[in-house]
Amino acid sequence: MWKLFKREVHHACKAVIGCGLLCGMVGVSPALAQEVWQDSLRSSRGVSLTMPYSDMALSARFIGPAVSDKDWYIWCFSPIWGKDGKVHAFCSRWPAAEGMEGWTGANAEIAHYVADRPEGSFRYVATVMKTSMFPDPATMSAPHNPRLEYVDGKYVLLYICQNPSKEGTKQRVGMMVADNLEGPWRFAGDRGGIMVEASDDPGHWTYQAAIGADNPAFLKIEGKYYIYYKCGTPEHMKAKYGYAVSDKLEGPYEMCDAPITDNVSYLEDAQAFSVDGKYYLLTTDNLGGNSGGWGYLILWESEDGKSFRRADAQIAMGTVFDYWKTPADREELMKTPGLFVRCASGKLERPAVLMKKGKPAYLYGVADVNVNGGKVSEPYVFSVKWKVSKRKSGR
């Protein structure tokens, strides 16, 4: 997946830097961010935005790294409150020695971390999944994209895995369930955990999806269970979201007949949640074609959880450099030898909110630049305020 995406991002990042957009990025000090909201995101200067800001975007305050470990790439940080009152998180990780592409390798795993409070720092508890734990490692490998949920008194772990028996990158969505976060975890359903994969029906919109089905999210709506997934057909960069629905948590799940997002540019990494009777998808806007903001996050709103339209969407967050320190600090940071830089914009990936009193209070995301000067990726914590008031687009 990274190789397909990197070709698009590499040239686009150069174009963004060349036109001077990144030079306007300004961070906000934690002390100032606690007192005032931004009127707009600094990275939007000179940009025609096509979505209004959310209160999350303008109130967010950078706190720091959730996990910082020089020996591991950390990705896909998915937090949840535990029964013990602590914050637990499942994340993807793989050895630093294997580089960014190690996420598809034999040593990729999903690990359990815990912290006493949302701000962290989080400490390693245990490895929950790795290739050798799958029922059939010949067709299942490299667990990734964890989404952790709690429903019907059970913890639900959604993930993706590769299928080594097929040529190319063919990903599928799986599920594990447990009564406790510490386990034991078991593979759900009667297909070794597999819940969603691209259709083999030539008439279905996911047929011959470029890399399969990935980036899962989850909701329970009116007694039914929804797994949201992304498919790019026939090209990965034309990906949209769909859902699979079931009357039972462990399936079987039936896929929707058409995409449910009307995005016009690439998106990924959805988290699903509900607030006050409405349903939301939190996604990336990697190339900025949906919101107008390069690398921004989008908050999609829906009345029924089955259709998400740009007309009802807001800018959820900017990039890490909209909230971190100053332009001078960023300039110095980018001179750091060996610095982890996937895209110089510092866009956030795999976003996830942590709820408090039924509303998002913290947001976690992996930045495409390690703002601590490290050589590996790491997730960061932001505090956010939730009001979902319509704001001017910032044009």
Side-chain angles (χ1 to χ4, degrees):
M1 178 172 65
W2 297 126
K3 292 180 180 178
L4 288 168
F5 183 63
K6 280 167 64 179
R7 290 198 297 268
E8 304 288 338
V9 169
H10 173 72
H11 298 295
C13 278
K14 290 176 66 178
V16 171
I17 295 170
C19 70
L21 296 181
L22 294 180
C23 295
M25 289 186 173
V26 176
V28 178
S29 69
L32 180 62
Q34 287 178 337
E35 298 173 3
V36 299
W37 290 17
Q38 302 184 70
D39 291 328
S40 63
L41 298 179
R42 298 300 191 265
S43 60
S44 68
R45 288 179 175 177
V47 177
S48 295
L49 300 179
T50 56
M51 288 181 183
Y53 294 113
S54 69
D55 286 342
M56 284 174 56
L58 300 182
S59 69
R61 179 172 65 89
F62 180 86
I63 295 174
V67 177
S68 187
D69 189 334
K70 65 181 178 59
D71 295 324
W72 294 87
Y73 280 83
I74 307 292
W75 209 259
C76 307
F77 200 82
S78 185
I80 197 170
W81 289 100
K83 298 174 184 177
D84 55 5
K86 298 181 179 181
V87 182
H88 296 251
F90 283 18
C91 68
S92 303
R93 70 176 199 167
W94 58 94
E98 297 184 6
M100 187 64 208
E101 299 300 328
W103 72 277
T104 62
N107 294 315
E109 62 184 41
I110 293 175
H112 178 185
Y113 285 76
V114 67
D116 295 325
R117 57 197 188 108
E119 295 85 353
S121 61
F122 286 76
R123 56 191 179 274
Y124 172 78
V125 176
T127 294
V128 179
M129 292 184 69
K130 55 186 177 182
T131 297
S132 62
M133 296 178 178
F134 280 115
D136 182 13
T139 62
M140 306 170 184
S141 68
H144 195 60
N145 284 176
R147 281 295 184 207
L148 189 57
E149 304 288 349
Y150 184 72
V151 64
D152 298 347
K154 292 186 179 296
Y155 290 99
V156 177
L157 171 61
L158 294 178
Y159 60 88
I160 65 168
C161 61
Q162 307 294 324
N163 187 347
S165 69
K166 292 191 175 183
E167 184 178 355
T169 304
K170 295 301 180 185
Q171 297 168 157
R172 298 180 289 173
V173 175
M175 178 191 291
M176 297 186 81
V177 294
D179 293 327
N180 298 290
L181 286 164
E182 294 78 12
W185 289 87
R186 65 174 178 81
F187 291 98
D190 57 6
R191 300 179 59 219
I194 300 300
M195 295 288 145
V196 180
E197 59 185 322
S199 177
D200 57 5
D201 178 0
H204 197 267
W205 73 277
T206 66
Y207 179 67
Q208 292 187 339
I211 65 168
D214 65 348
N215 294 167
F218 179 87
L219 276 175
K220 183 179 180 181
I221 303 174
E222 297 180 349
K224 294 183 180 293
Y225 304 89
Y226 290 78
I227 296 176
Y228 298 91
Y229 60 89
K230 182 190 95 233
C231 273
T233 309
E235 300 172 22
H236 176 57
M237 298 308 294
K238 293 184 178 180
K240 294 182 182 291
Y241 261 87
Y243 67 77
V245 62
S246 176
D247 293 326
K248 299 179 180 180
L249 173 61
E250 299 189 34
Y253 282 80
E254 181 177 352
M255 301 171 77
C256 60
D257 293 330
I260 62 170
T261 54
D262 66 350
N263 54 295
V264 295
S265 181
Y266 185 73
L267 85 172
E268 61 180 0
D269 291 351
Q271 182 194 24
F273 59 92
S274 63
V275 177
D276 295 334
K278 293 188 177 180
Y279 304 98
Y280 298 89
L281 288 184
L282 175 64
T283 74
T284 60
D285 187 16
N286 300 63
L287 306 179
N290 297 295
S291 67
W294 171 269
Y296 284 8
L297 302 181
I298 299 177
L299 186 67
W300 303 77
E301 182 181 291
S302 172
E303 295 289 339
D304 62 5
K306 301 175 185 178
S307 177
F308 295 85
R309 298 291 173 251
R310 283 179 295 133
D312 301 315
Q314 296 178 314
I315 294 168
M317 288 280 284
T319 74
V320 71
F321 290 119
D322 281 306
Y323 311 100
W324 180 81
K325 295 190 177 181
T326 69
D329 291 314
R330 175 184 176 272
E331 186 176 348
E332 287 301 310
L333 173 69
M334 300 304 285
K335 298 176 184 177
T336 306
L339 179 69
F340 171 77
V341 180
R342 187 160 174 259
C343 182
S345 68
K347 62 186 175 68
L348 296 169
E349 310 221 24
R350 299 296 300 161
V353 294
L354 179 68
M355 311 291 275
K356 192 172 183 179
K357 295 182 179 179
K359 293 178 172 59
Y362 296 89
L363 185 142
Y364 300 77
V366 177
D368 272 358
V369 177
N370 185 316
V371 298
N372 284 328
K375 298 180 180 182
V376 294
S377 60
E378 58 185 20
Y380 299 107
V381 191
F382 303 80
S383 64
V384 296
K385 296 186 182 299
W386 176 266
K387 290 185 180 179
V388 194
S389 60
K390 292 293 183 181
R391 294 178 171 271
K392 62 183 180 181
S393 66
R395 293 187 187 84

